[in-house]
């Protein structure tokens, strides 16, 4: 029992450390480009010792990768019904809506911090995380009896790039159309029957 409580306390400490470091990095991104941020800056902002940082992360790129993965995974966790949706297209539409809502609510962070000039490391990591999320869902659907005419990795790369580009265009142009309209237009572009059939 004592060992179990000790393990829980350690887990909570790790989660707190991850949260502090992630928040520190995101707040620093509002002030300067990712390339200008050093591990020392992150540790000072988070009030976490450098030794602790390196116990959990290899470098600032590893922390950034963690932040992006957490951001993407939180979309699903924040909408539990997404995991119970049987239609692939409905799943993606729900995920896209949730992503656009997040972008609208966090426009300053995204435009000033993540998408600003000089943050050459951010977009590839975001693209990779979104692509991995899509590919995982496609592979899950294959286990449910769907067959894809195109390899899942290619589908995931194609759609992650297209969706990210469309979402960034929407944000950079001050959201010229509503979220409902964006979801509707993307829904038209994503024709599920074009690449998947039920066995």
């Amino acid at each position: 029992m004592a060992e179990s409580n000790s393990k829980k306390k350690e887990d909570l400490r790790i989660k707190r450390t991850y949260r502090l470091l992630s928040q520190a990095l995101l707040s620093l991104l509002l002030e300067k480009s990712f390339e200008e941020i050093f591990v020392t800056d992150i540790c000072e902002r988070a009030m976490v010792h450098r030794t602790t940082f390196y116990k959990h992360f290899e470098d600032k790129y590893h922390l950034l990768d963690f932040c992006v993965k957490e951001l993407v995974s939180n979309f699903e966790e924040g909408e539990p019904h997404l995991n119970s949706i049987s239609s692939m297209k409905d799943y993606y539409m729900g995920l896209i809506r949730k992503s656009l809502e997040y972008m609208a609510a966090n426009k300053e962070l995204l435009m000033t911090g993540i998408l600003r000039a000089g943050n050459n490391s951010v977009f590839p990591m975001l693209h990779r995380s979104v692509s991995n999320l899509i590919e995982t869902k496609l592979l899950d659907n294959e286990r449910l009896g769907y067959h894809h005419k195109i390899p899942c990795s290619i589908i995931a790369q194609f759609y992650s790039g297209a969706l990210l580009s469309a979402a960034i265009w929407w944000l950079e142009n001050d959201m010229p159309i509503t979220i409902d309209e964006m979801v509707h237009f993307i829904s038209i572009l994503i024709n599920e029957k074009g690449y998947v059939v039920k066995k």
Side-chain angles (χ1 to χ4, degrees), residues 11-12 16 22-23 27 32 40 42 50 57 61 63 66 70 82-83 89 100 104 118 129 144 152 168 195-196:
D11 288 345
L12 287 173
R16 180 177 179 275
S22 298
Q23 289 173 345
S27 69
K32 47 190 173 182
T40 303
I42 299 169
R50 279 172 58 91
F57 299 100
Y61 297 94
L63 174 60
F66 170 80
E70 280 291 290
L82 287 176
N83 290 315
K89 189 170 183 180
L100 292 172
S129 291
L144 294 174
C152 294
I168 290 170
Y195 65 86
V196 62

Side-chain angles (χ1 to χ4, degrees), residues 95-110:
L95 197 60
I96 289 165
R97 178 179 295 279
K98 183 71 177 174
S99 301
L100 292 172
E101 288 171 354
Y102 176 88
M103 292 177 79
N106 297 275
K107 184 179 178 182
E108 182 184 4
L109 171 63
L110 290 165

Side-chain angles (χ1 to χ4, degrees), residues 108-177:
E108 182 184 4
L109 171 63
L110 290 165
M111 292 302 299
T112 308
I114 294 176
L115 300 176
R116 75 192 299 169
N119 282 342
N120 301 323
S121 305
V122 179
F123 187 83
M125 288 186 180
L126 184 59
H127 180 272
R128 184 169 64 250
S129 291
V130 173
S131 177
N132 288 342
L133 179 68
I134 293 174
E135 185 170 358
T136 297
K137 183 64 178 178
L138 292 171
L139 292 171
D140 286 345
N141 275 275
E142 282 197 339
R143 285 187 280 273
L144 294 174
Y146 288 89
H147 171 69
H148 302 94
K149 299 175 182 177
I150 302 168
C152 294
S153 55
I154 295 177
I155 297 171
Q157 287 293 321
F158 178 83
Y159 279 109
S160 58
L163 293 173
L164 278 174
S165 294
I168 290 170
W169 167 87
W170 179 71
L171 198 65
E172 288 179 337
N173 286 277
D174 294 321
M175 299 172 284
I177 58 177

Side-chain angles (χ1 to χ4, degrees), residues 33-61:
S33 74
F34 180 73
E35 309 305 332
E36 296 172 318
I37 297 171
F38 298 96
V39 169
T40 303
D41 301 326
I42 299 169
C43 291
E44 286 179 357
R45 181 67 57 93
M47 291 190 288
V48 171
H49 198 277
R50 279 172 58 91
T51 304
T52 303
F53 178 94
Y54 285 113
K55 181 180 177 183
H56 301 286
F57 299 100
E58 296 171 10
D59 50 32
K60 66 176 184 177
Y61 297 94

Side-chain angles (χ1 to χ4, degrees), residues 66-80 82-83 91 95 98 126 129-130 133:
F66 170 80
C67 291
V68 170
K69 286 176 180 174
E70 280 291 290
L71 175 63
V72 173
S73 66
N74 284 342
F75 290 148
E76 280 194 335
E77 291 176 9
E79 298 290 331
L82 287 176
N83 290 315
Y91 167 83
L95 197 60
K98 183 71 177 174
L126 184 59
S129 291
V130 173
L133 179 68

